[in-house]
């Protein structure tokens, strides 16, 4: 009886040590590892792939500069239709006869963003024509004085409700609305700055973001009678949700001013009033 038990035990041990069985177990472990790697790769989102290796600055907008010098901007859903001030200033130049460091090459202007499923839109906020929001004709006014779209950016991906767009070409390109080298018009003065933009010699230099503003620097190169490379500093500043009370211009006080057309249902004319810049 003991001999029979020992024989059964020995057979079981030999069967357990079968090389094919051991190989099958090892193969199973390798497959498990491969599946784990596949699962890890699958978990990497499109957003993570897009910003992988990028230098990131968090603030009002989250800014990413990728390894191939693209400027990716995350615009929060909470800032849609808020008003921003966009300014453009020379930070450095190679030819002070064409540009001077500190020079503001274009007047600051107000913008806002809106979006649909495919694109983020940059609107130019019109402020020359105004009306009291409680005026009976305010709804009709809004239909006639909307904010035009000046630029559309394709949405690359989303981070939750926030959209991510590529703004490289807007800030490092010769974008007309913020270009330091405007295209001369027929009959314009010969003293106007002229030059041909060179994309191959232009790039995003850096970007910083803070709670109320984002700062972007880019290098733009122009060729022509005098070759010139200029470093531009662009600022995007979040304006108060409730605008400050305007101050009426008085010519006896030395302030810069802008005129506005004031519409009202109480009058059969349009009033023109100047306000100081604040």
């Amino acid at each position: 009886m003991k001999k029979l038990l020992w024989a059964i035990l020995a057979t079981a041990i030999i069967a357990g040590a079968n090389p094919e069985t051991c190989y099958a177990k090892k193969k199973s472990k390798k497959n498990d590892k491969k599946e784990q790697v596949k699962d890890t790769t699958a978990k990497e989102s499109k957003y993570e792939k897009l910003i992988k290796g990028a230098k990131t600055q968090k603030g009002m907008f989250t800014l990413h500069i990728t390894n191939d010098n693209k400027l990716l901007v995350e615009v929060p859903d909470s800032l849609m239709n808020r008003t921003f001030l966009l300014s453009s200033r020379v930070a450095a130049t190679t030819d002070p006869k064409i540009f001077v460091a500190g020079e503001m090459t274009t007047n600051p202007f107000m913008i806002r963003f809106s979006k649909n499923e495919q694109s983020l839109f940059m609107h130019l906020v019109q402020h020359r024509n105004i009306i009291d929001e409680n005026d009976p004709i305010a709804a009709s006014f809004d239909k006639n004085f909307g904010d035009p779209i000046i630029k559309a950016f394709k949405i690359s991906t989303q981070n939750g409700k926030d959209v991510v767009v590529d703004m490289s070409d807007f800030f490092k390109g010769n974008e007309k609305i913020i270009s330091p080298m405007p295209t001369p018009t027929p009959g314009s003065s010969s003293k106007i700055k002229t030059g041909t933009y060179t994309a191959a010699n232009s790039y995003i230099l850096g970007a910083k973001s803070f709670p109320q503003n984002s700062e972007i620097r880019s290098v733009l190169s122009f060729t022509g009678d005098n070759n010139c490379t200029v470093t531009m500093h662009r600022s995007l500043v979040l304006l108060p949700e409730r605008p400050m009370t305007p101050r009426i211009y008085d010519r006896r006080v030395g302030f810069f001013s802008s005129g506005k057309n004031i519409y009202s249902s109480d009058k059969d004319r349009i009033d023109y009033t100047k306000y100081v810049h604040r």
Side-chain angles (χ1 to χ4, degrees), residues 137-170:
I137 63 169
S140 177
F141 176 90
D142 291 339
K143 291 177 182 177
N144 288 280
F145 293 99
D147 300 330
I149 294 171
I150 55 173
K151 191 72 177 178
F153 304 93
K154 183 181 177 182
I155 296 175
S156 301
T157 188
Q158 291 194 207
N159 182 20
K161 289 186 178 181
D162 304 345
V163 296
V164 183
V165 294
D166 184 351
M167 290 193 181
S168 312
D169 291 340
F170 182 78

mmCIF file of all heavy atoms in Angstrom, residues 137-170:
data_model
loop_
_atom_site.group_PDB
_atom_site.id
_atom_site.type_symbol
_atom_site.label_atom_id
_atom_site.label_comp_id
_atom_site.label_asym_id
_atom_site.label_seq_id
_atom_site.Cartn_x
_atom_site.Cartn_y
_atom_site.Cartn_z
ATOM 1 N N ILE A 137 -33.730 99.812 -27.105
ATOM 2 C CA ILE A 137 -33.201 99.429 -28.423
ATOM 3 C C ILE A 137 -31.867 98.672 -28.311
ATOM 4 O O ILE A 137 -31.191 98.446 -29.323
ATOM 5 C CB ILE A 137 -33.017 100.665 -29.334
ATOM 6 C CG1 ILE A 137 -31.974 101.627 -28.753
ATOM 7 C CG2 ILE A 137 -34.343 101.345 -29.588
ATOM 8 C CD1 ILE A 137 -31.555 102.722 -29.729
ATOM 9 N N ALA A 138 -31.494 98.266 -27.094
ATOM 10 C CA ALA A 138 -30.212 97.585 -26.888
ATOM 11 C C ALA A 138 -30.122 96.277 -27.686
ATOM 12 O O ALA A 138 -29.078 95.947 -28.253
ATOM 13 C CB ALA A 138 -29.995 97.319 -25.406
ATOM 14 N N ALA A 139 -31.227 95.517 -27.737
ATOM 15 C CA ALA A 139 -31.225 94.240 -28.471
ATOM 16 C C ALA A 139 -30.978 94.476 -29.954
ATOM 17 O O ALA A 139 -30.204 93.751 -30.598
ATOM 18 C CB ALA A 139 -32.552 93.517 -28.260
ATOM 19 N N SER A 140 -31.619 95.502 -30.514
ATOM 20 C CA SER A 140 -31.419 95.844 -31.925
ATOM 21 C C SER A 140 -29.994 96.344 -32.159
ATOM 22 O O SER A 140 -29.371 96.036 -33.180
ATOM 23 C CB SER A 140 -32.427 96.912 -32.342
ATOM 24 O OG SER A 140 -32.218 97.300 -33.676
ATOM 25 N N PHE A 141 -29.475 97.104 -31.211
ATOM 26 C CA PHE A 141 -28.101 97.621 -31.296
ATOM 27 C C PHE A 141 -27.098 96.473 -31.386
ATOM 28 O O PHE A 141 -26.185 96.481 -32.210
ATOM 29 C CB PHE A 141 -27.812 98.498 -30.077
ATOM 30 C CG PHE A 141 -26.396 99.006 -30.003
ATOM 31 C CD1 PHE A 141 -26.052 100.217 -30.590
ATOM 32 C CD2 PHE A 141 -25.415 98.276 -29.339
ATOM 33 C CE1 PHE A 141 -24.745 100.685 -30.522
ATOM 34 C CE2 PHE A 141 -24.109 98.733 -29.263
ATOM 35 C CZ PHE A 141 -23.771 99.940 -29.860
ATOM 36 N N ASP A 142 -27.275 95.469 -30.523
ATOM 37 C CA ASP A 142 -26.357 94.322 -30.490
ATOM 38 C C ASP A 142 -26.346 93.559 -31.816
ATOM 39 O O ASP A 142 -25.323 93.000 -32.217
ATOM 40 C CB ASP A 142 -26.735 93.373 -29.355
ATOM 41 C CG ASP A 142 -26.471 93.986 -27.986
ATOM 42 O OD1 ASP A 142 -25.664 94.931 -27.909
ATOM 43 O OD2 ASP A 142 -27.084 93.530 -26.997
ATOM 44 N N LYS A 143 -27.486 93.530 -32.491
ATOM 45 C CA LYS A 143 -27.571 92.829 -33.778
ATOM 46 C C LYS A 143 -26.826 93.571 -34.884
ATOM 47 O O LYS A 143 -26.439 92.982 -35.889
ATOM 48 C CB LYS A 143 -29.035 92.643 -34.185
ATOM 49 C CG LYS A 143 -29.790 91.661 -33.312
ATOM 50 C CD LYS A 143 -31.254 91.587 -33.725
ATOM 51 C CE LYS A 143 -32.037 90.635 -32.808
ATOM 52 N NZ LYS A 143 -33.474 90.600 -33.160
ATOM 53 N N ASN A 144 -26.649 94.861 -34.705
ATOM 54 C CA ASN A 144 -26.018 95.683 -35.736
ATOM 55 C C ASN A 144 -24.560 96.033 -35.451
ATOM 56 O O ASN A 144 -23.839 96.480 -36.347
ATOM 57 C CB ASN A 144 -26.813 96.980 -35.928
ATOM 58 C CG ASN A 144 -28.133 96.757 -36.633
ATOM 59 O OD1 ASN A 144 -28.188 96.642 -37.841
ATOM 60 N ND2 ASN A 144 -29.215 96.677 -35.857
ATOM 61 N N PHE A 145 -24.134 95.847 -34.209
ATOM 62 C CA PHE A 145 -22.758 96.189 -33.843
ATOM 63 C C PHE A 145 -22.093 95.004 -33.125
ATOM 64 O O PHE A 145 -21.685 95.108 -31.967
ATOM 65 C CB PHE A 145 -22.713 97.438 -32.957
ATOM 66 C CG PHE A 145 -23.140 98.691 -33.665
ATOM 67 C CD1 PHE A 145 -24.430 99.187 -33.508
ATOM 68 C CD2 PHE A 145 -22.264 99.369 -34.504
ATOM 69 C CE1 PHE A 145 -24.829 100.341 -34.167
ATOM 70 C CE2 PHE A 145 -22.655 100.530 -35.161
ATOM 71 C CZ PHE A 145 -23.942 101.013 -35.004
ATOM 72 N N GLY A 146 -21.992 93.885 -33.829
ATOM 73 C CA GLY A 146 -21.355 92.703 -33.260
ATOM 74 C C GLY A 146 -19.840 92.816 -33.310
ATOM 75 O O GLY A 146 -19.273 93.748 -33.894
ATOM 76 N N ASP A 147 -19.165 91.860 -32.686
ATOM 77 C CA ASP A 147 -17.700 91.825 -32.667
ATOM 78 C C ASP A 147 -17.198 90.917 -33.788
ATOM 79 O O ASP A 147 -17.434 89.699 -33.748
ATOM 80 C CB ASP A 147 -17.192 91.310 -31.319
ATOM 81 C CG ASP A 147 -17.639 92.197 -30.163
ATOM 82 O OD1 ASP A 147 -17.810 93.408 -30.396
ATOM 83 O OD2 ASP A 147 -17.797 91.685 -29.038
ATOM 84 N N PRO A 148 -16.506 91.451 -34.797
ATOM 85 C CA PRO A 148 -16.059 90.626 -35.926
ATOM 86 C C PRO A 148 -14.989 89.609 -35.532
ATOM 87 O O PRO A 148 -14.188 89.854 -34.630
ATOM 88 C CB PRO A 148 -15.490 91.658 -36.907
ATOM 89 C CG PRO A 148 -15.074 92.802 -36.042
ATOM 90 C CD PRO A 148 -16.070 92.852 -34.930
ATOM 91 N N ILE A 149 -14.993 88.481 -36.213
ATOM 92 C CA ILE A 149 -13.964 87.458 -36.003
ATOM 93 C C ILE A 149 -12.730 87.849 -36.814
ATOM 94 O O ILE A 149 -12.818 88.107 -38.013
ATOM 95 C CB ILE A 149 -14.463 86.067 -36.450
ATOM 96 C CG1 ILE A 149 -15.619 85.616 -35.547
ATOM 97 C CG2 ILE A 149 -13.325 85.039 -36.412
ATOM 98 C CD1 ILE A 149 -16.312 84.357 -36.037
ATOM 99 N N ILE A 150 -11.579 87.931 -36.150
ATOM 100 C CA ILE A 150 -10.343 88.304 -36.848
ATOM 101 C C ILE A 150 -9.392 87.121 -37.027
ATOM 102 O O ILE A 150 -8.456 87.181 -37.818
ATOM 103 C CB ILE A 150 -9.610 89.452 -36.118
ATOM 104 C CG1 ILE A 150 -9.335 89.081 -34.654
ATOM 105 C CG2 ILE A 150 -10.406 90.732 -36.215
ATOM 106 C CD1 ILE A 150 -8.477 90.097 -33.923
ATOM 107 N N LYS A 151 -9.654 86.021 -36.302
ATOM 108 C CA LYS A 151 -8.783 84.846 -36.432
ATOM 109 C C LYS A 151 -9.510 83.618 -35.909
ATOM 110 O O LYS A 151 -10.232 83.686 -34.914
ATOM 111 C CB LYS A 151 -7.485 85.053 -35.633
ATOM 112 C CG LYS A 151 -6.415 84.026 -35.892
ATOM 113 C CD LYS A 151 -5.780 84.180 -37.258
ATOM 114 C CE LYS A 151 -4.654 83.181 -37.484
ATOM 115 N NZ LYS A 151 -4.068 83.311 -38.833
ATOM 116 N N ALA A 152 -9.305 82.494 -36.602
ATOM 117 C CA ALA A 152 -9.869 81.206 -36.155
ATOM 118 C C ALA A 152 -8.730 80.233 -35.951
ATOM 119 O O ALA A 152 -7.806 80.146 -36.775
ATOM 120 C CB ALA A 152 -10.857 80.670 -37.184
ATOM 121 N N PHE A 153 -8.766 79.511 -34.848
ATOM 122 C CA PHE A 153 -7.746 78.516 -34.530
ATOM 123 C C PHE A 153 -8.411 77.144 -34.436
ATOM 124 O O PHE A 153 -9.399 76.985 -33.716
ATOM 125 C CB PHE A 153 -7.068 78.824 -33.195
ATOM 126 C CG PHE A 153 -6.452 80.197 -33.116
ATOM 127 C CD1 PHE A 153 -7.177 81.270 -32.596
ATOM 128 C CD2 PHE A 153 -5.162 80.421 -33.556
ATOM 129 C CE1 PHE A 153 -6.627 82.533 -32.506
ATOM 130 C CE2 PHE A 153 -4.590 81.688 -33.475
ATOM 131 C CZ PHE A 153 -5.327 82.738 -32.954
ATOM 132 N N LYS A 154 -7.862 76.171 -35.147
ATOM 133 C CA LYS A 154 -8.400 74.814 -35.084
ATOM 134 C C LYS A 154 -8.123 74.221 -33.707
ATOM 135 O O LYS A 154 -7.004 74.316 -33.196
ATOM 136 C CB LYS A 154 -7.769 73.938 -36.169
ATOM 137 C CG LYS A 154 -8.339 72.532 -36.211
ATOM 138 C CD LYS A 154 -7.660 71.693 -37.291
ATOM 139 C CE LYS A 154 -8.196 70.264 -37.274
ATOM 140 N NZ LYS A 154 -7.512 69.419 -38.290
ATOM 141 N N ILE A 155 -9.132 73.623 -33.103
ATOM 142 C CA ILE A 155 -8.953 72.997 -31.783
ATOM 143 C C ILE A 155 -8.179 71.691 -31.955
ATOM 144 O O ILE A 155 -8.629 70.781 -32.646
ATOM 145 C CB ILE A 155 -10.313 72.741 -31.107
ATOM 146 C CG1 ILE A 155 -11.019 74.074 -30.818
ATOM 147 C CG2 ILE A 155 -10.144 71.948 -29.810
ATOM 148 C CD1 ILE A 155 -12.421 73.945 -30.259
ATOM 149 N N SER A 156 -6.993 71.631 -31.342
ATOM 150 C CA SER A 156 -6.139 70.443 -31.455
ATOM 151 C C SER A 156 -6.645 69.321 -30.561
ATOM 152 O O SER A 156 -6.660 68.154 -30.951
ATOM 153 C CB SER A 156 -4.688 70.792 -31.086
ATOM 154 O OG SER A 156 -4.193 71.809 -31.928
ATOM 155 N N THR A 157 -7.040 69.673 -29.352
ATOM 156 C CA THR A 157 -7.597 68.708 -28.400
ATOM 157 C C THR A 157 -8.226 69.489 -27.254
ATOM 158 O O THR A 157 -8.240 70.720 -27.259
ATOM 159 C CB THR A 157 -6.504 67.748 -27.873
ATOM 160 O OG1 THR A 157 -7.112 66.711 -27.098
ATOM 161 C CG2 THR A 157 -5.484 68.481 -27.019
ATOM 162 N N GLN A 158 -8.741 68.773 -26.268
ATOM 163 C CA GLN A 158 -9.334 69.407 -25.090
ATOM 164 C C GLN A 158 -8.753 68.824 -23.824
ATOM 165 O O GLN A 158 -8.348 67.659 -23.783
ATOM 166 C CB GLN A 158 -10.853 69.238 -25.095
ATOM 167 C CG GLN A 158 -11.546 70.034 -26.178
ATOM 168 C CD GLN A 158 -13.050 70.126 -25.979
ATOM 169 O OE1 GLN A 158 -13.783 70.283 -26.935
ATOM 170 N NE2 GLN A 158 -13.522 70.044 -24.747
ATOM 171 N N ASN A 159 -8.687 69.640 -22.791
ATOM 172 C CA ASN A 159 -8.290 69.201 -21.464
ATOM 173 C C ASN A 159 -9.474 69.480 -20.555
ATOM 174 O O ASN A 159 -9.609 70.567 -20.014
ATOM 175 C CB ASN A 159 -7.037 69.953 -21.001
ATOM 176 C CG ASN A 159 -6.562 69.499 -19.637
ATOM 177 O OD1 ASN A 159 -6.897 68.403 -19.178
ATOM 178 N ND2 ASN A 159 -5.790 70.339 -18.963
ATOM 179 N N GLY A 160 -10.357 68.503 -20.441
ATOM 180 C CA GLY A 160 -11.630 68.736 -19.775
ATOM 181 C C GLY A 160 -12.473 69.629 -20.661
ATOM 182 O O GLY A 160 -12.666 69.356 -21.841
ATOM 183 N N LYS A 161 -12.918 70.764 -20.124
ATOM 184 C CA LYS A 161 -13.697 71.721 -20.912
ATOM 185 C C LYS A 161 -12.804 72.757 -21.596
ATOM 186 O O LYS A 161 -13.264 73.532 -22.426
ATOM 187 C CB LYS A 161 -14.717 72.431 -20.018
ATOM 188 C CG LYS A 161 -15.872 71.544 -19.562
ATOM 189 C CD LYS A 161 -16.898 72.373 -18.800
ATOM 190 C CE LYS A 161 -18.097 71.523 -18.380
ATOM 191 N NZ LYS A 161 -19.114 72.329 -17.662
ATOM 192 N N ASP A 162 -11.524 72.796 -21.230
ATOM 193 C CA ASP A 162 -10.600 73.777 -21.803
ATOM 194 C C ASP A 162 -10.118 73.306 -23.173
ATOM 195 O O ASP A 162 -9.828 72.117 -23.363
ATOM 196 C CB ASP A 162 -9.395 73.976 -20.883
ATOM 197 C CG ASP A 162 -9.810 74.392 -19.477
ATOM 198 O OD1 ASP A 162 -10.981 74.802 -19.317
ATOM 199 O OD2 ASP A 162 -8.980 74.304 -18.562
ATOM 200 N N VAL A 163 -10.034 74.237 -24.124
ATOM 201 C CA VAL A 163 -9.592 73.881 -25.471
ATOM 202 C C VAL A 163 -8.116 74.202 -25.642
ATOM 203 O O VAL A 163 -7.603 75.169 -25.062
ATOM 204 C CB VAL A 163 -10.427 74.590 -26.559
ATOM 205 C CG1 VAL A 163 -11.866 74.136 -26.508
ATOM 206 C CG2 VAL A 163 -10.328 76.106 -26.434
ATOM 207 N N VAL A 164 -7.421 73.390 -26.449
ATOM 208 C CA VAL A 164 -6.003 73.596 -26.736
ATOM 209 C C VAL A 164 -5.862 73.923 -28.219
ATOM 210 O O VAL A 164 -6.332 73.163 -29.068
ATOM 211 C CB VAL A 164 -5.171 72.340 -26.391
ATOM 212 C CG1 VAL A 164 -3.690 72.596 -26.638
ATOM 213 C CG2 VAL A 164 -5.398 71.929 -24.938
ATOM 214 N N VAL A 165 -5.237 75.069 -28.513
ATOM 215 C CA VAL A 165 -5.063 75.494 -29.906
ATOM 216 C C VAL A 165 -3.609 75.876 -30.156
ATOM 217 O O VAL A 165 -2.870 76.241 -29.234
ATOM 218 C CB VAL A 165 -5.982 76.692 -30.250
ATOM 219 C CG1 VAL A 165 -7.444 76.292 -30.191
ATOM 220 C CG2 VAL A 165 -5.706 77.885 -29.355
ATOM 221 N N ASP A 166 -3.204 75.796 -31.420
ATOM 222 C CA ASP A 166 -1.856 76.166 -31.834
ATOM 223 C C ASP A 166 -1.875 77.629 -32.282
ATOM 224 O O ASP A 166 -2.467 77.963 -33.301
ATOM 225 C CB ASP A 166 -1.406 75.250 -32.978
ATOM 226 C CG ASP A 166 0.037 75.505 -33.403
ATOM 227 O OD1 ASP A 166 0.633 76.499 -32.933
ATOM 228 O OD2 ASP A 166 0.568 74.722 -34.212
ATOM 229 N N MET A 167 -1.217 78.511 -31.517
ATOM 230 C CA MET A 167 -1.162 79.935 -31.859
ATOM 231 C C MET A 167 0.215 80.355 -32.366
ATOM 232 O O MET A 167 0.546 81.550 -32.378
ATOM 233 C CB MET A 167 -1.570 80.796 -30.653
ATOM 234 C CG MET A 167 -3.030 80.707 -30.280
ATOM 235 S SD MET A 167 -3.494 82.026 -29.122
ATOM 236 C CE MET A 167 -5.232 81.653 -28.845
ATOM 237 N N SER A 168 1.030 79.387 -32.770
ATOM 238 C CA SER A 168 2.388 79.680 -33.230
ATOM 239 C C SER A 168 2.402 80.703 -34.353
ATOM 240 O O SER A 168 3.104 81.719 -34.288
ATOM 241 C CB SER A 168 3.078 78.393 -33.709
ATOM 242 O OG SER A 168 2.933 77.356 -32.779
ATOM 243 N N ASP A 169 1.634 80.440 -35.405
ATOM 244 C CA ASP A 169 1.654 81.309 -36.584
ATOM 245 C C ASP A 169 1.131 82.711 -36.270
ATOM 246 O O ASP A 169 1.566 83.686 -36.888
ATOM 247 C CB ASP A 169 0.832 80.692 -37.721
ATOM 248 C CG ASP A 169 1.497 79.452 -38.296
ATOM 249 O OD1 ASP A 169 2.717 79.293 -38.094
ATOM 250 O OD2 ASP A 169 0.794 78.635 -38.934
ATOM 251 N N PHE A 170 0.218 82.808 -35.317
ATOM 252 C CA PHE A 170 -0.326 84.121 -34.973
ATOM 253 C C PHE A 170 0.744 84.996 -34.332
ATOM 254 O O PHE A 170 0.863 86.179 -34.647
ATOM 255 C CB PHE A 170 -1.520 83.969 -34.031
ATOM 256 C CG PHE A 170 -2.181 85.278 -33.673
ATOM 257 C CD1 PHE A 170 -3.044 85.902 -34.566
ATOM 258 C CD2 PHE A 170 -1.943 85.893 -32.449
ATOM 259 C CE1 PHE A 170 -3.661 87.112 -34.249
ATOM 260 C CE2 PHE A 170 -2.541 87.098 -32.119
ATOM 261 C CZ PHE A 170 -3.396 87.715 -33.021
#
